[in-house]
Amino acid sequence: MIDYNQIAQKYGTPLYLYDFDHFTAQYEKLKDAFRARKSILAYAVKASSNLSIIKHFASLGAGADCVSIGEVRRALLAGVPKYKIIFSGVGKRDDEIAEAICSDILYINVESSAELDRIELIAKRVDRSVRISIRVNPNIDPKTHPYISTGLHSNKFGVDLDSAKRMYIQANSSQHLEPVGIHFHIGSQLTELEPIRDSAIIVADLVRSLRSAIGLELKFFDVGGGLGVQYSDEKIIDPVEYAQAILSTLSGLDLTIICEPGRFLSANAGYFLTRVLYEKSNSDKRFIIVDGAMNDLLRPSLYGAYHSITHFKEADEKVGVADVVGPVCESGDFLAKDIELPYFQHNDLILINSAGAYGFGMSSNYNTRNRCAEVAISHGRDRLIRRRESFDDQIALEREFIS
Ligand code: LLP
């Protein structure tokens, strides 16, 4: 049982807390679900990119799915073996491509024909051959929030089937490109199995047709991430059923599964701890004003995302409907809306649950607020894994304007 009061006193608020034992349990669950095949779970670093978190997953055997060269460097620094690192993303700069090639990672996920040309040119320039995978956009509606849907042709991600075929033909005959994988990722917080199965069928068929048309033997079937988690009472996909649905599409194919989970591994391991500053009400609304804000946890403001709340008041205390809001100067700055909560005093603690994915990583210095500290809990012990920023940290990179 975590003593939130003691943690808040020791490290201050607002604060991110991560239960490392939960990370482990989620990793094992998903890894086990794929046990019928060779697989690599490449942790989607963007979900929560603290080095200690990546290192923890690496110690369990995970790889890393990265979307910038910064993330690739993080993964390498945290000890992820280079042969388990993937570099994805819809736009990569030349310097990022060159560094990824020279780092000899598992493969680069290619998201357009123009990018394939660029990668080939850069590989030629540095006189290397580079392993690649192509991200296919299967044009399947993943039935999730539009901002985190990526598998439709109206989304910027990946290429259609015909383009993918042409790109594989090009790569297969290039001296500098080695096509080893195929990739799809249709969206995040997926709660329905059907779109995943349908996408896997389409992409597995493409693998078969490439084999018969140009004799291409791919090695990796990269199913992206996207497995949803429970934020409230939504029905979620069972990892075993998820793995079975994918594996059932691969008969006759000798492929290693790459899966890139972010949220599934980290969301419910994380908590955002904040203190009540004060309450205020008007004729319409009751507001609980806390020291955490949208700059710390953006998901409610950006997606209208729901995060459940734990408080530490007695169960029989009087409750009323309220919004939990932060100090940032935006009406969209809220952490919860219209929920039943007891009446709080100054300094009472509020815990925002399921904040371990896309929490700290999407935080900013908006309103010149220092980004939070991050604390790991493991086997009942707490450990600081990122100190709170200071005002000096924030201004360190700014230079005086000299006219
Ligand atoms: N692989 C690729 C290529 C991705 O784009 C993503 C996430 C993942 C894997 C990991 O997806 P996950 O397993 O976490 O669903 N900020 C949003 C989520 C954005 C997801 C972006 N891509 C949120 O807070 O809901």
Side-chain angles (χ1 to χ4, degrees):
M1 187 60 194
I2 301 172
D3 184 343
Y4 295 104
N5 242 312
Q6 188 243 327
I7 298 276
Q9 255 160 35
K10 187 165 168 186
Y11 299 104
T13 57
L15 181 77
Y16 274 98
L17 267 177
Y18 307 98
D19 177 350
F20 274 45
D21 303 329
H22 189 89
F23 287 149
T24 307
Q26 291 296 95
Y27 177 86
E28 300 295 353
K29 219 183 281 174
L30 192 53
K31 181 71 185 161
D32 196 48
F34 280 112
R35 69 178 175 277
R37 287 240 174 186
K38 271 194 280 179
S39 70
I40 298 175
L41 299 190
Y43 171 57
V45 168
K46 66 173 92 62
S48 218
S49 53
N50 187 292
L51 287 170
S52 298
I53 297 177
I54 306 171
K55 188 173 169 197
H56 181 75
F57 285 121
S59 76
L60 302 173
D65 167 52
C66 306
V67 288
S68 69
I69 207 66
E71 287 191 351
V72 172
R73 289 186 190 180
R74 269 186 187 273
L76 288 167
L77 198 58
V80 180
K82 61 185 183 183
Y83 60 85
K84 289 186 185 173
I85 297 177
I86 297 153
F87 182 23
S88 310
V90 81
K92 306 179 187 75
R93 291 190 317 266
D94 285 4
D95 61 293
E96 293 186 295
I97 293 170
E99 188 172 329
I101 294 173
C102 296
S103 302
D104 198 25
I105 57 174
L106 183 60
Y107 55 77
I108 299 180
N109 257 327
V110 186
E111 299 227 17
S112 64
S113 176
E115 186 179 61
L116 188 70
D117 292 343
R118 215 61 228 151
I119 293 173
E120 188 174 19
L121 192 81
I122 294 167
K124 195 169 173 184
R125 208 182 277 160
V126 296
D127 196 23
R128 306 272 285 247
S129 161
V130 56
R131 284 178 294 278
I132 59 122
S133 156
I134 291 171
R135 177 167 181 177
V136 177
N137 181 326
N139 202 24
I140 296 273
D141 183 355
K143 305 202 173 80
T144 185
H145 190 290
Y147 283 15
I148 52 176
S149 155
T150 52
L152 282 167
H153 284 172
S154 54
N155 304 126
K156 66 179 174 177
F157 298 96
V159 296
D160 59 35
L161 290 169
D162 287 341
S163 309
K165 269 185 210 156
R166 283 196 297 275
M167 288 163 69
Y168 276 112
I169 293 168
Q170 175 185 343
N172 204 32
S173 61
S174 164
Q175 273 184 9
H176 296 279
L177 300 172
E178 192 190 340
V180 293
I182 194 156
H183 175 239
F184 65 95
H185 169 83
I186 57 172
S188 196
Q189 184 55 13
L190 305 178
T191 52
E192 292 191 31
L193 200 49
E194 225 39 55
I196 301 170
R197 185 187 289 118
D198 291 349
S199 304
I201 291 171
I202 292 173
V203 177
D205 282 347
L206 179 57
V207 176
R208 290 188 189 92
S209 81
L210 288 167
R211 186 169 64 182
S212 54
I214 56 169
L216 178 61
E217 293 287 354
L218 294 174
K219 298 190 182 93
F220 301 103
F221 193 74
D222 184 340
V223 301
L227 203 50
V229 299
Q230 219 166 21
Y231 286 96
S232 59
D233 56 0
E234 57 269 69
K235 201 173 158 323
I236 53 166
I237 301 169
D238 176 66
V240 173
E241 286 176 23
Y242 168 74
Q244 284 312 316
I246 290 167
L247 296 179
S248 69
T249 69
L250 297 182
S251 61
L253 295 172
D254 182 18
L255 293 163
T256 296
I257 298 288
I258 308 281
C259 182
E260 306 167 347
R263 194 187 313 267
F264 179 82
L265 297 183
S266 61
N268 284 326
Y271 303 88
F272 179 62
L273 189 58
T274 180
R275 272 193 198 283
V276 173
L277 297 173
Y278 14 74
E279 290 220 12
K280 76 173 180 184
S281 303
N282 58 32
S283 53
D284 280 349
K285 271 246 151 195
R286 170 179 163 223
F287 298 101
I288 300 161
I289 302 160
V290 296
D291 63 2
M294 67 186 287
N295 75 295
D296 303 306
L297 178 60
L298 185 59
R299 302 193 72 257
S301 305
L302 189 61
Y303 312 115
Y306 171 81
H307 286 259
S308 69
I309 283 185
T310 304
H311 61 78
F312 306 92
K313 309 292 273 184
E314 295 299 325
D316 57 0
E317 283 187 51
K318 221 172 97 203
V319 298
V321 172
D323 285 4
V324 179
V325 301
V328 162
C329 297
E330 301 265 354
S331 293
D333 175 25
F334 61 89
L335 298 173
K337 259 200 182 308
D338 295 322
I339 56 162
E340 295 264 359
L341 284 172
Y343 288 82
F344 291 99
Q345 270 88 48
H346 182 70
N347 271 345
D348 280 344
L349 285 173
I350 284 185
L351 190 68
I352 314 277
N353 298 308
S354 311
Y358 309 106
F360 184 88
M362 289 174 76
S363 67
S364 76
N365 291 124
Y366 188 40
N367 282 202
T368 307
R369 288 168 53 84
N370 295 324
R371 274 182 296 174
C372 302
E374 295 182 285
V375 170
I377 310 266
S378 182
H379 302 300
R381 304 194 36 192
D382 53 271
R383 183 166 54 89
L384 185 67
I385 56 171
R386 192 184 204 268
R387 72 160 168 78
R388 185 175 304 284
E389 273 179 0
S390 66
F391 175 68
D392 286 348
D393 291 329
Q394 282 203 55
I395 59 164
L397 302 179
E398 296 181 27
R399 295 289 175 265
E400 202 176 343
F401 178 67
I402 302 163
S403 60

